[in-house]
Amino acid sequence: MAKNTKHQLVNYDKYGYFFVAPFIIAFLVFQLYPIFYTFQLSFSDLAGWETQMNYVGLKNYFALLENELFLKALRNTWIIWTMNFIPQIGLALLLAKWFSDARMKLKGAGLFKVLFYMPNIITAASVSILFSTLFSYPMGPINQLLIQFGVLQEPFEFFRSSGATRSIVAFIQFWMWYGNTFIILMAGILGINPSLYEAAMVDGATSSQMFFGITLPLIKPITLYVLVTSFIGGMQMFDIPFLLTLRGNPDYSIETVTMFIYRQAFSGSRNYYVAATASITLLVMIVIVSMIIFRVMGGDESIKKPFTGRLRKAGTPK
Amino acid sequence: MKKWIGLLLTFTLILSVTACGGAKQDNSEASNQEKEVGVATDNKGDTLVVWTFTDELKGMIENHYLKDNPDLPYKVEVVVVPNDQYQNKLDPVLASGKSAPDVFALEAGYVKKYVDSPFTADLASIGFDRDNIDTLPYVLDVATDTNGVLKGSSWQATPGAFFYRRSLALEYLGTEEPEEVQALMSDFDKFYDTAMTISEKSDGKVKMISSLGDLVQVFYAARQDGWVVDNKMVVDPKITELMEMGRKLESNKLTNQSEQWTEQWFASISGNDVFGYFLPTWGLHYVLKTSAENADTGVSTSGDWGMIQGPSSYFWGGTWLAMREGSQMEAAAADLIKYLTLDESFLKTWAEETGDVLSNEAVVNEIKDGFTEPFLKGQNHYAAFADMATKVDASILTGSDKDIQDLFTEQLTAYSKGEKERDAAMDDFISSVKNQFPSLEY
């Protein structure tokens, strides 16, 4: 009898597998396999029309770390990302503070969110063309403007100066992404319980005291998220520098790691093994640095929990 | 019951997969047999896919081939890929054979790479007999692989010339006649002196050339050795000459500081700030004529141009057509390539319409004396080019030319503008080539 009932129970568990199957299959074929294949390639000597790979051990990694152009690309990537991230997070924080400040009560927050986010909607190709035209030499608008106002005596060739070109790329990245960062930080700030600010105001705290004492500590997890995602995105920077000047010119000063990988894999003698080695190196670097960031910044995740708990007990309205 | 359906499904699936495999084998056997016979007779697909790096070929196919052959039983699809991306896009599809073109255009900067690869078909198999066609030997030599197999064909020959503005010549050099202008720039020293004269007399307003890049092909063509000889990278002495010339011109502000193929570069064709352009045969109809009209004022510089050889004879570019080995559209591909490169009536129409110089000597000899080009104020550019074409030696072309020259451009610019010294520029050039071609010797 017991046996019979067991038989009649219909087990629906297995259908779960059917539902996740499409994702698992797509993931295995289009993500996991390529990652393993890249690992495999980085230990081989596959290039050009060749289809047979020979394994060469760690040789590619040693060669890559001695490759001046790769090291330069790595340096460029770091420099450009840093130049773009510091002003980006700074401005985004400032704007987020202003727009969430209960005392300032700025109007049109919704409109400004859209406006700040706008540059991100334009495609990278259009942005690059826009900027290369703006800064073009000798008759570009910026040059004409600067001469008109007497800042420059004669036109300056922006795209022949490493510093200027890097700054332009960093500025474009900053300009395209500060709106995005702003919105994320804003969401973080709006998630903070307003009664904290009310309590602080009752106690006579100034606006900046509230910002540094309440806002900053409470949006730390969000800031950490912004930092890590921006870091990962920044290390994979490709479209803007690739399209702005030819081949990372001048003097390979805006050639990023992904551009290096692309050029190794698809031009010249198409050195897949170099491209794969560089990809893996980049991956390892991103993982290590991200872990360091988490370790350093994300140590005290516990602040947030007691707070919400206590607030709920007090029965404050959300 | 359910089990049965499942089994049935699995079975049909397996069957269909194996059936496909079988069919594929049959196909390749069939095409092998055809090759033994010598001429392909069948098309297995319904679309002939053509890849090209300029829209020129697209126009030739749409305005001529399809009009002359209105009843083709298949579609012809022309895909234009920008030259900078062309190899990047072509290489993977050729290697995998999936959605690869049946016919593809190849430029001088990389034609050798594909000719020496297993992906281009022997044109003898579709009826090309190099001893019985009137195509210039140099054009065929470029498309012949190391084993002497002909793998590409072209309709054009591309000797180069210097095109100058007659009105500017008259104003600053006192003459507009081609012979006299030629005498003023018969070598590079004179070329430089003339550039100085023009600059001084015009208060620096008129530059000799628009971009430094205009010069490079002249020097490349004058080299003794190509970039790669026996798998070894070679930097010919002409390259150093080019760098010195570049620095002399740039430091005296004798170029317009633009980059080739940019808006500013094209704008000078209709403006009055550049004396002339180094351009080959195709440059006349494809570059100069199409940009002669000023977009703002509507004034055209047509009729104000003269053509001379310039300081040195050279050749520049060219488009070769190749057929993919293993194409399913062999007959269609063969028909298209033959039409575009061998069909005398088409070639004649094309030449008369555009002034493009043909590689077919028979047609060239027939038409060359009848040309008066109004764009060049009645000059017969055709006879001059036809004469130059027979002297072209393109044996220094290598498959890596485009990639290497792209890398060189940056260092040439850096040295010319005085950002780097010559040794540093040269070292950076070599290391960038090494980076792209680690398997070469240096």
Side-chain angles (χ1 to χ4, degrees), chain B residues 12 19 22 56 104 130 138 151 178 211 244 252 272 301 315 331 339 346-347 381 400 414 417:
Chain B
T12 41
E56 186 184 37
F104 46 97
R130 65 172 298 165
Y138 104 82
K151 288 175 146 188
S211 146
E244 292 307 330
N252 291 301
N272 286 319
T301 53
F315 67 97
Y339 176 86
F346 158 70
L347 289 174
H381 71 293
S400 323
K417 291 186 187 280

Side-chain angles (χ1 to χ4, degrees), chain A residues 25 44 52 59 66 74 78 99 117 136 143 148 179 194 250:
Chain A
I25 292 167
S44 78
Q52 284 289 312
K59 196 180 119 195
E66 282 173 5
L74 206 57
W78 271 97
F99 279 97
Y117 197 79
S136 68
N143 264 320
Q148 204 83 38

Side-chain angles (χ1 to χ4, degrees), chain A:
Chain A
M1 193 62 207
K3 227 180 183 182
N4 238 337
T5 37
K6 209 178 185 183
H7 213 80
Q8 278 168 352
L9 275 176
V10 185
N11 187 0
Y12 289 106
D13 290 358
K14 65 178 177 198
Y15 293 106
Y17 293 111
F18 288 110
F19 285 112
V20 293
F23 168 75
I24 298 284
I25 292 167
F27 172 76
L28 290 178
V29 174
F30 296 112
Q31 301 244 313
L32 202 65
Y33 170 69
I35 291 174
F36 277 111
Y37 188 62
T38 309
F39 262 104
Q40 197 186 352
L41 276 179
S42 74
F43 295 108
S44 78
D45 64 350
L46 194 73
W49 305 121
E50 214 58 51
T51 50
Q52 284 289 312
M53 40 171 120
N54 304 306
Y55 292 99
V56 294
L58 285 170
K59 196 180 119 195
N60 295 334
Y61 287 91
F62 293 122
L64 189 74
L65 293 178
E66 282 173 5
N67 188 327
E68 278 170 46
L69 286 172
F70 175 73
L71 297 177
K72 187 160 192 177
L74 206 57
R75 243 187 343 262
N76 291 337
T77 315
W78 271 97
I79 292 173
I80 297 172
W81 177 70
T82 318
M83 278 165 74
N84 122 69
F85 187 71
I86 293 172
Q88 180 188 322
I89 191 104
L91 186 70
L93 264 178
L94 186 69
L95 290 172
K97 180 201 156 9
W98 282 347
F99 279 97
S100 61
D101 198 315
R103 278 191 192 147
M104 288 173 86
K105 286 201 185 93
L106 286 183
K107 283 185 183 135
L111 174 74
F112 279 107
K113 273 183 205 168
V114 172
L115 286 180
F116 293 151
Y117 197 79
M118 208 69 103
N120 209 312
I121 303 173
I122 313 169
T123 54
S126 323
V127 174
S128 311
I129 290 171
L130 173 73
F131 275 82
S132 73
T133 317
L134 277 179
F135 286 93
S136 68
Y137 174 85
M139 296 300 282
I142 299 283
N143 264 320
Q144 286 184 355
L145 211 67
L146 290 178
I147 291 171
Q148 204 83 38
F149 288 126
V151 182
L152 291 177
Q153 289 305 311
E154 49 181 37
F156 179 69
E157 205 168 1
F158 289 96
F159 294 121
R160 287 310 307 171
S161 147
S162 301
T165 313
R166 273 191 198 134
S167 310
I168 291 171
V169 174
F171 175 77
I172 298 175
Q173 295 286 352
F174 154 77
W175 176 69
M176 282 181 80
W177 289 98
Y178 80 94
N180 186 60
T181 310
F182 160 69
I183 285 179
I184 296 173
L185 290 179
M186 188 78 175
I189 293 175
L190 291 178
I192 299 172
N193 196 312
S195 55
L196 290 175
Y197 293 105
E198 283 158 19
M201 270 189 262
V202 170
D203 288 344
T206 63
S207 192
S208 62
Q209 275 175 329
M210 287 195 288
F211 179 70
F212 288 105
I214 302 173
T215 314
L216 268 191
L218 285 182
I219 58 162
K220 200 171 160 191
I222 296 278
T223 320
L224 186 66
Y225 165 79
V226 168
L227 177 62
V228 172
T229 47
S230 167
F231 172 72
I232 295 172
M235 288 298 117
Q236 296 175 352
M237 195 187 320
F238 181 79
D239 41 15
I240 298 287
F242 183 76
L243 293 164
L244 191 65
T245 62
L246 285 170
R247 284 166 279 278
N249 292 347
D251 203 19
Y252 304 102
S253 61
I254 56 166
E255 182 171 82
T256 61
V257 179
T258 37
M259 280 167 73
F260 176 89
I261 294 169
Y262 172 79
R263 290 207 300 147
Q264 286 290 345
F266 297 107
S267 67
S269 56
R270 285 180 291 129
N271 313 304
Y272 301 129
Y273 64 97
V274 183
T277 315
S279 304
I280 299 295
T281 312
L282 181 66
L283 172 77
V284 171
M285 191 188 76
I286 290 177
V287 169
I288 291 176
V289 175
S290 302
M291 269 161 52
I292 293 175
I293 296 176
F294 274 121
R295 195 47 68 74
V296 173
M297 275 189 68
D300 37 27
E301 192 86 344
S302 50
I303 307 175
K304 207 178 162 188
K305 276 183 183 163
F307 251 110
T308 47
R310 219 180 295 152
L311 289 171
R312 236 178 247 144
K313 252 180 236 161
T316 39
K318 178 78 187 124

